Amino acid sequence: MSTAAVIQLSQVNRIFQVGEQQVSALRDINLTLNAGEYVSIMGPSGSGKSTLLNMLGLLDRPSSGTYLLDGVNTTTLNDEQQARVRREKIGFVFQSFHLVPRLSAASNIELPMILAGIPAEQRKLRVDELIGSYGLRDRADHRPDQLSGGQRQRVAIARATVMHPAVLLADEPTGNLDQTTGKEVMALLERLAEQGVTLIMVTHDPKLGQRASRQIQMVDGQILASTET
Ligand code: ADP
Ligand code: MG
């Protein structure tokens, strides 16, 4: 396993302006994660977990500080450059799946490859491979509202990994699933981590969080503790 830093945050702050008020969602965050690490982020509601994950996923920008992804300073990239880095390096899995309602399971999985300009033949092969490995063969043509929660999250994970991202971010990925289905989804994510993906998962379930090799505790926009097991 490589020990090169894939993520380096230095003095990252995120301040939201809400009317007259300023909310400090992240305060002076310093964080280095190595390639292939499996990390959980825990902490009370409102402690900044999602804000941190969105930052890592280039869905949001710091108010101050720098974010190096694979050695590239993302903070100085424009939106278009950031979008390209996001497509190439990052996969995102959300609690509420965020699938495109009108598209079939197969088309949802294919979407990032269309955005990346991958030729149709190559797309078809890769979608077929993922449909098979995620047990979605008989659901490929179904729309999200025709799928169970577990099937939707499998589609979402397939979509998140279709471009072979180095970093997979998951925000409460089992939060909308029953316990059995949640375990299945965790097993899929952990299999990806074993294959070398850097997996960063937000959870408020300590039992799930403890499965990661490194646990980050957030309180009030700050990293309170980072422990390794
Ligand atoms: P968590 O995921 O740990 O529950 P969040 O990262 O969602 O916490 O939120 C951290 C803090 O930032 C909270 O006080 C929240 O109200 C605030 N916040 C998050 N997103 C926004 C936003 N888009 N606008 C204003 N305030 C926000
Ligand atoms: Mg959250």
Side-chain angles (χ1 to χ4, degrees):
M1 192 170 77
S2 161
T3 52
V6 66
I7 283 166
Q8 281 180 288
L9 297 180
S10 315
Q11 291 297 112
V12 164
N13 286 276
R14 179 63 168 102
I15 298 165
F16 291 109
Q17 186 77 40
V18 185
E20 305 268 276
Q21 254 193 331
Q22 294 202 325
V23 178
S24 282
L26 297 177
R27 305 167 190 252
D28 294 333
I29 299 282
N30 294 299
L31 180 65
T32 300
L33 300 180
N34 292 325
E37 273 198 276
Y38 173 15
V39 183
S40 62
I41 301 175
M42 289 176 280
S45 178
S47 58
K49 305 181 299 295
S50 293
T51 303
L52 177 59
L53 212 66
N54 290 342
M55 195 73 66
L56 295 176
L58 298 174
L59 298 173
D60 192 14
R61 288 175 181 273
S63 306
S64 64
T66 56
Y67 171 21
L68 269 57
L69 176 63
D70 255 349
V72 173
N73 185 354
T74 64
T75 322
T76 56
L77 301 179
N78 64 30
D79 288 352
E80 203 177 313
Q81 291 166 325
Q82 276 203 354
R84 178 155 15 98
V85 172
R86 187 165 62 236
R87 279 201 304 269
E88 288 171 356
K89 303 212 162 149
I90 291 167
F92 223 119
V93 177
F94 301 91
Q95 176 173 359
S96 48
F97 322 121
H98 287 209
L99 298 172
V100 181
R102 286 179 305 108
L103 295 181
S104 69
S107 299
N108 267 283
I109 297 170
E110 184 182 17
L111 203 53
M113 288 191 291
I114 294 177
L115 296 174
I118 310 278
E121 247 167 81
Q122 228 173 301
R123 297 201 306 260
K124 194 171 177 303
L125 285 175
R126 178 75 176 134
V127 169
D128 193 64
E129 180 190 348
L130 286 168
I131 287 284
S133 62
Y134 284 100
L136 293 163
R137 190 67 71 200
D138 56 351
R139 292 290 182 274
D141 298 326
H142 291 221
R143 288 191 320 265
D145 65 358
Q146 300 168 321
L147 300 173
S148 71
Q151 288 165 344
R152 286 183 211 187
Q153 200 57 304
R154 262 146 54 200
V155 172
I157 295 170
R159 179 185 59 180
T161 53
V162 71
M163 295 291 291
H164 302 284
V167 178
L168 186 58
L169 304 168
D171 196 350
E172 302 272 6
T174 65
N176 277 344
L177 304 174
D178 64 67
Q179 215 175 359
T180 310
T181 311
K183 275 189 189 153
E184 286 164 17
V185 162
M186 284 298 296
L188 292 175
L189 293 172
E190 289 175 355
R191 193 177 70 193
L192 292 162
E194 276 163 25
Q195 290 166 354
V197 170
T198 306
L199 174 61
I200 305 169
M201 180 185 65
V202 166
T203 180
H204 61 239
D205 182 342
K207 269 208 213 106
L208 289 186
Q210 274 158 20
R211 297 170 67 99
S213 46
R214 180 164 167 194
Q215 290 116 37
I216 291 173
Q217 284 289 344
M218 290 193 74
V219 175
D220 206 14
Q222 292 186 301
I223 292 178
L224 187 69
S226 171
T227 50
E228 285 180 56
T229 49

